[in-house]
């Protein structure tokens, strides 16, 4: 088996504020045929392969998994759609409709589905992380034109903006020859400069309460956290495990087990390339108030600022990190995607250096980070109040 | 760099159905429970999966699910938090889940920590005492989780299908939020004694233990037995009708269509796999091509062959914009009719054969996937020959056989249709 992974350095953060959702819509169009090949999936399936892709606020990632002897089929297809798309009107029309149904299915027709459409603009005033990858609103998708598609392709889809990772049992020269054959004559371009609106320091507590027809009231606390390439990212990651991962997290023990204020509570990070969000979210028990929750939650967060986490707790985090790492490395596709992402961060080899970074973190580092993180002036709080409770 | 590269010409492809199915090592615990060990020699990652004959069909109330959710929730002398800390000390993770037939407890860790991790978990499991306070919280949590799910048209349609397709059988029972209220600690304890302590069906182990570690882990499970439970024969009398579940203020409608079919031991199973793939199992399937890629009615549509201990079934599932509901049903029926009355063109057939052969290869990537393949066959009394026969059938199947299979087994007049919206 082999994997061909192509990461394009373009995501929802690169969109025009009046044409949001475009990077993701474009990902759909990449399956609508390229300049020399009318259909992307058919030939790949004929080679025993399968393909998919995802778009985030930062990147767009395409992957093909196929029997290793047929790898040339994937390189042929991927290189042709990097060269140029077919720009078919039918494909644009249909995929606009598919993405609108996706918008409905995942964001409108689900309880709590619109949370990210509300929380992002609360947390970010100017940075393009203020919209979700699906876009701000359906009308932006409806209005996408073929000119937009051509221009987006020209700007972001070329060798200078892509990272190609091939995983499988091959000799290097075999792959070098094939890549040079299929990609060698695609015109190279320089990577465009990325000038994004910089989010000013928050310096205020932002709160919003919305009434919704949902069975339980829900809460979302979003704290601004460090960008992916900084040390603070690793501190936030480890801290989120200690605060609220699984049933050992301190918030779970206090707010659920001791005080029975919540049904569920979690802490996790959105590992964005730019300044990201450390999220604490959950759902209230019936009859409990947001006020009681708010007080108890801040009390727990204060303890991380005032006390060092214990040595056994820190050891547990490290041990669990070691197990997680072993499982993340399972499977060829995972490894290919991880390598591409680290190459985007600057060096694929970075994947081997993370464990040492985590192991170097001491309790005092986590405490210092908690002090900078858990402040109302760094927090955006969204309450979804149940109309039935 | 190559000049005159002809980019419209596809590179040649070749396929090989030579998948190396790896037999696990087979052991027994002192009490006779089978342990299957798949060696993972390239990584320290370990998964130990305990499978119990303790699925939701064995009780009238949602007892099985609540029991499974409380397996490591405390003993007479340890709280849940203390047990979790001990597991965390060794970098362990666990999760417990349930299906209609079985309950699963998965333990994740590294080879080096198994000698500590497994005894901690076995001890906490064997002496589980299901504290009342934990039960109250879990009931409230499950109840609320169900209420959230019931807001989704996909859940409503799926439940409607389950209820009517498996009507009058244990598989057709669905829980209402109020059902959780009636479950007591005594129910849970009784269920645990009967279905867990005496129901350890088998252990699947992916890892790389030394001989000594292997022996210690086998000894660990001495107290657990496997009593064979024979299911009473189940007669399926599904209602073949159009069920409409009403849900106000939604922008999409959930659709499920289904019928009782047969399980993997049926002679037509592999042929039906091909029929199902062409109709709705892959991205290029007829349902996807027509209803998503041509008409844009949905984000996704698919079909699958499902199975439980006593039977198999066929399902088509999608969510579509409300305004597309009527035409979607027309199109689904048209695609089913086309499968039953028209020969699949050679080009499409060869594509699907190649795609399926690749799917079998992908499903065998690495020791964790290999163990899943082995376990899914073994639990139905089959072995790897099942997959090898599937590959041979797929390779040789003709368009005429596909049409015949579809015409026998996919009669849309026998299809239950549930819509929710």
């Amino acid at each position: 088996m082999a994997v061909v992974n192509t990461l394009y350095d373009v995501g929802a953060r690169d969109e025009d504020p009046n044409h949001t959702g475009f990077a993701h819509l474009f990902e759909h169009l990449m399956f609508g045929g390229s300049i020399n090949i009318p259909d992307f999936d058919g030939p790949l399936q004929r080679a025993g392969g399968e393909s998919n892709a995802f778009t985030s606020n930062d990147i767009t990632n395409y992957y093909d998994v196929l029997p290793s002897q047929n790898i040339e089929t994937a390189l042929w297809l991927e290189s042709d759609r990097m060269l140029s798309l077919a720009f078919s009107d039918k494909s644009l029309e249909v995929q606009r409709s598919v993405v609108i149904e996706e918008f409905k299915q995942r964001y409108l027709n689900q309880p709590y589905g619109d949370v990210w459409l509300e929380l992002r603009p609360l947390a970010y005033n100017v940075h393009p992380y203020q919209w979700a990858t699906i876009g701000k609103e359906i009308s932006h998708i409806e209005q996408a034109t073929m000119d937009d598609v051509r221009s987006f392709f020209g700007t972001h889809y070329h060798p200078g903006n892509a990272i190609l990772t091939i995983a499988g049992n091959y000799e290097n020269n075999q792959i070098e020859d094939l890549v040079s054959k299929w990609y060698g004559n695609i015109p190279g371009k320089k990577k465009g400069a990325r000038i994004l609106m910089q989010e000013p320091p928050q310096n205020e507590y932002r709160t919003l309460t919305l009434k919704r027809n949902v069975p339980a009231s829900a809460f979302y606390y979003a704290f601004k956290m460090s960008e992916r390439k900084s040390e603070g990212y690793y501190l936030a990651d480890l801290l989120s495990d200690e605060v609220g991962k699984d049933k050992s997290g301190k918030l779970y023990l206090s707010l659920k087990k001791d005080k029975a204020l919540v049904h569920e509570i979690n802490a996790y990070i959105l590992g964005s390339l730019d300044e990201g969000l450390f999220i604490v979210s959950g759902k209230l028990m019936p009859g409990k108030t947001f006020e009681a929750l708010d007080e108890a939650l801040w009390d727990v967060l204060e303890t991380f600022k005032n006390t060092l986490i214990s040595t056994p707790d820190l050891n547990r985090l490290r041990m669990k990190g070691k197990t997680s790492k072993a499982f993340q490395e399972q499977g060829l596709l995972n490894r290919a995607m991880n390598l591409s992402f680290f190459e985007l961060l600057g060096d694929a080899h970075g994947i081997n250096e993370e464990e040492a970074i985590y192991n170097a973190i001491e309790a005092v580092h986590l405490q210092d980070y908690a002090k900078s993180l858990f402040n109302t002036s760094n927090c955006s709080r969204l309450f979804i109040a149940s109309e039935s409770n | 760099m190559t000049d005159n590269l002809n980019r419209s010409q596809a590179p040649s492809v070749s396929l090989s159905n030579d998948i190396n199915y790896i037999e696990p090592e087979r052991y027994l615990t002192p009490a006779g429970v089978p342990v299957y060990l798949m060696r993972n020699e390239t990584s320290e990652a370990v998964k130990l999966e305990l499978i119990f004959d303790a699925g939701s069909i064995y009780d009238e109330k949602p007892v099985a699910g609540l029991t499974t959710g409380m397996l490591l929730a405390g003993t007479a002398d340890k709280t849940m938090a203390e047990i979790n800390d001990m597991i965390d000390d060794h970098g362990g993770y666990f999760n417990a889940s349930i299906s209609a037939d079985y309950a699963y407890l998965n333990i994740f860790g590294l080879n080096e920590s198994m000698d500590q991790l497994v005894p901690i978990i076995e001890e906490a499991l064997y002496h589980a005492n299901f504290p009342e306070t934990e039960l109250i919280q879990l009931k409230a949590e499950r109840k609320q989780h169900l209420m959230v799910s019931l807001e989704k048209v996909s859940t409503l349609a799926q439940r409607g299908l389950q209820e009517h397709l498996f009507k009058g059988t244990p598989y057709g029972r669905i829980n209402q939020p109020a059902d959780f209220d009636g479950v007591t600690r005594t129910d849970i304890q009784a269920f645990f004694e009967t279905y867990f302590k005496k129901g350890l069906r088998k252990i699947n182990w992916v890892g790389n233990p030394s001989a000594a570690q292997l022996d210690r882990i086998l000894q660990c499970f001495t107290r657990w037995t496997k009593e064979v439970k024979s299911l009473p024969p189940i007669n399926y009398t599904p209602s073949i009708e159009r069920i409409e579940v009403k849900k106000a203020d939604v922008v999409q409608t959930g659709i499920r269509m289904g019928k009782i079919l047969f399980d993997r031991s049926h002679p037509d199973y592999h042929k039906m796999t091909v029929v199902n793939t062409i109709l709705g199992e892959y991205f290029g399937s007829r349902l996807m091509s027509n209803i998503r890629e041509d008409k844009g009615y949905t984000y996704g549509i698919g079909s699958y062959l499902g199975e439980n201990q006593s039977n198999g079934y066929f399902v088509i599932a999608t969510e579509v914009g409300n305004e597309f509901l009527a035409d979607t049903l027309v199109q689904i029926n048209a695609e089913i009719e086309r499968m039953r009355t028209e020969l699949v063109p050679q080009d499409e057939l060869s594509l699907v054969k190649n795609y399926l052969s690749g799917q079998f290869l992908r499903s065998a990537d690495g020791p964790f996937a290999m163990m899943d393949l082995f376990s899914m066959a073994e639990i139905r009394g089959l072995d790897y020959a099942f997959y090898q026969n599937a590959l041979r059938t797929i390779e040789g199947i003709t368009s005429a056989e596909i049409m015949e299979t579809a015409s026998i087994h996919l009669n849309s007049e026998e299809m239950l249709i549930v819509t929710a919206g």
Side-chain angles (χ1 to χ4, degrees):
Chain A
M1 219 178 74
V3 171
V4 173
N5 192 78
T6 314
L7 183 157
Y8 287 93
D9 184 2
V10 57
R13 67 175 173 164
D14 299 304
E15 293 162 349
D16 179 326
N18 300 312
H19 292 89
T20 63
F22 202 83
H24 168 250
L25 172 64
F26 192 88
E27 174 216 310
H28 281 242
L29 299 174
M30 283 285 278
F31 293 88
S34 52
I35 181 91
N36 299 296
I37 311 168
D39 170 29
F40 181 87
D41 284 296
L44 190 66
Q45 287 152 358
R46 197 173 292 285
E50 191 172 56
S51 176
N52 212 334
F54 64 85
T55 308
S56 74
N57 293 76
D58 294 317
I59 62 166
T60 315
N61 191 79
Y62 300 83
Y63 56 88
D64 314 305
V65 186
L66 75 173
S68 57
Q69 73 272 22
N70 296 337
I71 187 159
E72 195 165 1
T73 302
L75 298 175
W76 166 64
L77 289 162
E78 289 293 353
S79 66
D80 202 53
R81 67 179 178 177
M82 188 183 288
L83 182 64
S84 181
L85 285 187
F87 300 113
S88 126
D89 289 323
K90 162 92 181 173
S91 173
L92 177 58
E93 185 197 332
V94 168
Q95 293 308 319
R96 266 196 305 243
S97 176
V98 168
V99 170
I100 288 168
E101 290 305 321
E102 181 180 358
F103 200 122
K104 292 182 195 164
Q105 184 171 327
R106 296 173 59 176
Y107 297 85
L108 303 181
N109 221 28
Q110 299 279 342
Y112 316 103
D114 63 343
V115 158
W116 294 102
L117 304 181
E118 301 290 347
L119 186 55
R120 284 187 169 277
L122 189 66
Y124 295 99
N125 279 342
V126 298
H127 190 282
Y129 285 166
Q130 67 178 239
W131 57 85
T133 51
I134 195 74
K136 287 182 188 171
E137 48 189 90
I138 284 182
S139 68
H140 284 191
I141 298 160
E142 283 167 344
Q143 288 156 10
T145 67
M146 192 54 87
D147 282 347
D148 298 333
V149 176
R150 286 181 191 275
S151 137
F152 198 84
F153 184 85
T155 310
H156 301 293
Y157 282 75
H158 56 82
N161 208 36
I163 294 165
L164 175 65
T165 304
I166 295 169
N169 190 10
Y170 301 104
E171 295 298 327
N172 271 350
N173 57 4
Q174 232 181 322
I175 293 301
E176 280 162 14
D177 290 351
L178 283 173
V179 169
S180 143
K181 172 179 172 185
W182 290 106
Y183 291 81
N185 52 10
I186 301 178
K189 276 192 209 173
K190 270 189 76 173
K191 204 179 177 79
R194 175 176 274 123
I195 303 163
L196 300 178
M197 297 291 286
Q198 289 305 298
E199 187 71 14
Q202 185 165 326
N203 293 333
E204 59 180 358
Y205 193 17
R206 298 182 188 146
T207 60
L208 175 66
T209 301
L210 298 169
K211 280 195 176 301
R212 290 286 185 269
N213 181 22
V214 289
S217 294
F219 53 88
Y220 302 81
Y221 291 76
F223 301 89
K224 293 275 172 55
M225 62 165 267
S226 311
E227 59 179 52
R228 181 65 181 81
K229 283 194 200 180
S230 72
E231 248 177 52
Y233 169 86
Y234 296 96
L235 295 168
D237 187 30
L238 214 54
L239 193 58
S240 72
D241 285 351
E242 176 68 6
V243 172
K245 195 180 177 190
D246 302 327
K247 295 185 171 178
S248 311
K250 295 290 181 282
L251 283 171
Y252 182 90
L253 295 175
S254 169
L255 272 62
K256 175 160 176 154
K257 289 291 148 195
D258 285 354
K259 304 201 170 78
L261 286 166
V262 301
H263 272 299
E264 53 179 72
I265 186 159
N266 289 293
Y268 54 94
I269 60 168
L270 303 185
S272 322
L273 291 176
D274 296 329
E275 191 183 47
L277 297 176
F278 181 113
I279 308 280
V280 174
S281 70
K283 296 195 179 74
L284 282 186
M285 283 279 226
K288 302 294 179 182
T289 64
F290 282 128
E291 289 71 26
L293 163 85
D294 197 58
E295 196 186 332
L297 190 140
W298 281 105
D299 278 351
V300 175
L301 296 181
E302 282 299 316
T303 61
F304 290 98
K305 296 157 72 175
N306 300 333
T307 50
L308 286 172
I309 77 162
S310 71
T311 307
D313 276 358
L314 187 60
N315 283 338
R316 283 178 195 130
L317 290 177
R318 287 183 183 153
M319 287 299 294
K320 295 192 85 160
K322 203 171 155 187
T323 306
S324 298
K325 181 90 178 158
F327 276 89
Q328 278 158 22
E329 286 167 3
Q330 295 297 318
L332 203 57
L333 178 59
N334 275 342
R335 281 184 281 168
M337 285 201 285
N338 288 340
L339 280 171
S340 304
F341 190 71
F342 275 89
E343 182 65 17
L344 177 71
L345 293 178
D347 181 5
H349 187 67
I351 200 166
N352 296 322
E353 289 161 3
E354 283 210 303
E355 194 176 347
I357 300 177
Y358 283 111
N359 283 334
I361 294 174
E362 299 294 341
V364 63
H365 303 136
L366 291 172
Q367 186 185 13
D368 284 347
Y369 197 75
K371 284 179 187 169
S372 68
L373 192 70
F374 297 137
N375 297 299
T376 50
S377 60
N378 188 44
C379 181
S380 303
R381 186 192 76 187
L382 173 64
F383 287 158
I384 304 289
S386 165
E387 284 172 350
S388 55
N389 269 327
Chain B
M1 194 182 293
T2 312
D3 292 319
N4 304 322
L5 190 60
N6 182 358
R7 287 188 172 271
S8 355
Q9 179 68 47
S12 62
V13 301
S14 65
L15 287 153
S16 132
N17 283 340
D18 229 5
I19 297 172
N20 184 19
Y21 287 102
I22 299 160
E23 289 291 340
E25 296 166 26
R26 292 163 192 250
Y27 302 97
L28 292 173
T29 68
V33 173
V35 177
Y36 300 103
L37 171 65
M38 189 70 70
R39 291 278 169 185
N40 182 6
E41 281 161 344
T42 58
S43 156
E44 289 302 308
V46 182
K47 177 182 173 187
L48 204 67
E49 179 181 42
L50 315 183
I51 302 184
F52 300 90
D53 282 315
S56 58
I57 57 167
Y58 295 107
D59 212 294
E60 292 292 312
K61 292 180 286 187
V63 175
L66 288 169
T67 308
T68 306
M70 293 183 70
L71 290 175
L72 297 174
T75 62
D77 50 51
K78 288 203 175 54
T79 65
M80 183 170 89
E82 285 166 344
I83 294 167
N84 282 332
D85 278 351
M86 289 166 72
I87 294 171
D88 289 353
D89 280 340
H90 301 286
Y93 291 85
F94 72 91
N95 62 42
S97 63
I98 192 168
S99 68
D101 291 321
Y102 310 110
Y104 306 85
L105 181 68
N106 291 316
I107 303 166
F108 304 93
L110 303 176
N111 284 310
E112 60 183 85
S113 49
M114 282 297 125
D115 277 327
Q116 291 79 39
L117 205 49
V118 177
I120 290 168
I121 290 177
E122 192 276 337
E123 179 77 13
L125 190 60
Y126 192 79
H127 293 294
N129 79 337
F130 306 100
E132 188 69 41
T133 48
E134 298 293 342
L135 177 60
I136 291 168
Q137 289 201 356
L138 186 65
K139 276 157 63 173
E141 185 184 320
R142 291 287 167 93
K143 191 172 169 177
Q144 194 174 65
H145 192 260
L146 177 55
M147 285 162 69
V148 171
S149 275
L150 291 176
E151 293 295 311
K152 302 176 187 173
V153 294
S154 55
T155 306
L156 293 173
Q158 188 68 31
R159 281 164 60 96
L161 181 87
Q162 190 190 337
E163 191 179 356
H164 292 91
L165 195 61
F166 306 136
K167 196 160 79 178
T169 81
Y171 294 98
R173 190 176 52 72
I174 53 174
N175 292 319
Q176 301 302 335
D179 294 342
F180 289 97
D181 299 336
V183 178
T184 66
R185 189 170 165 232
T186 316
D187 294 332
I188 305 258
Q189 283 169 323
F191 192 86
F192 181 70
E193 291 296 324
T194 308
Y195 294 96
F196 280 87
K197 281 191 176 170
K198 296 174 195 158
L200 182 57
R201 184 185 186 93
K202 62 171 171 172
I203 297 176
N204 294 328
W205 184 356
V206 182
N208 198 13
S210 65
Q213 187 186 71
L214 173 65
D215 191 53
R216 283 190 293 269
I217 303 283
L218 293 179
Q219 296 297 328
C220 248
F221 291 96
T222 303
R223 303 187 271 197
W224 301 81
T225 57
K226 172 193 183 182
E227 277 179 10
V228 179
K229 287 183 194 60
S230 52
L231 270 187
I234 294 175
N235 283 322
Y236 287 92
T237 49
S239 31
I240 309 306
E241 52 188 316
R242 167 76 187 272
I243 309 282
E244 289 183 41
V245 184
K246 287 292 169 204
K247 176 93 179 78
D249 304 324
V250 291
V251 291
Q252 284 192 319
T253 302
I255 303 174
R256 295 293 181 277
M257 291 174 68
K259 66 168 293 198
I260 298 290
L261 208 57
F262 40 70
D263 67 12
R264 294 173 197 217
S265 56
H266 191 281
D268 283 354
Y269 187 86
H270 298 314
K271 290 186 203 161
M272 200 55 209
T273 298
V274 181
V275 170
N276 176 55
T277 303
I278 295 170
L279 182 66
E281 193 269 337
Y282 75 119
F283 194 85
S285 73
R286 291 179 173 192
L287 290 173
M288 277 291 269
S289 302
N290 180 348
I291 292 160
R292 172 176 146 139
E293 291 297 297
D294 184 58
K295 307 210 166 56
Y297 290 168
T298 180
Y299 179 49
I301 181 165
S303 66
Y304 61 90
L305 301 175
E307 195 173 319
N308 60 43
Q309 268 189 93
S310 75
N311 218 329
Y313 49 94
F314 168 80
V315 176
I316 296 173
T318 186
E319 279 79 53
V320 301
N322 292 339
E323 66 274 33
F324 306 130
L325 171 63
D327 195 44
T328 300
L329 293 175
V330 170
Q331 297 301 331
I332 291 173
N333 278 321
E335 292 300 347
I336 291 174
E337 271 318 289
R338 202 150 70 88
M339 291 296 313
R340 301 180 69 228
T341 55
E342 290 176 28
L343 290 171
V344 176
Q346 275 313 307
D347 201 46
E348 185 181 2
L349 180 57
S350 70
L351 182 150
V352 165
K353 287 183 176 190
N354 291 0
Y355 166 77
L356 273 173
S357 127
Q359 272 300 83
F360 276 78
L361 188 66
R362 276 186 289 280
S363 70
D365 176 29
F368 292 92
M370 188 60 72
M371 180 53 108
D372 288 343
L373 287 180
F374 172 80
S375 185
M376 283 186 289
E378 190 277 339
I379 213 157
R380 292 274 91 88
L382 302 165
D383 56 23
Y384 285 136
F386 170 79
Y387 303 106
Q388 281 146 349
N389 290 338
L391 282 164
R392 266 198 299 277
T393 305
I394 293 162
E395 202 176 354
I397 197 167
T398 63
S399 294
E401 287 174 301
I402 291 170
M403 189 173 83
E404 190 195 357
T405 307
S407 107
I408 297 170
H409 300 299
L410 277 192
N411 187 345
S412 32
E413 282 154 24
E414 294 168 7
M415 209 79 78
L416 165 70
I417 303 173
V418 183
T419 58

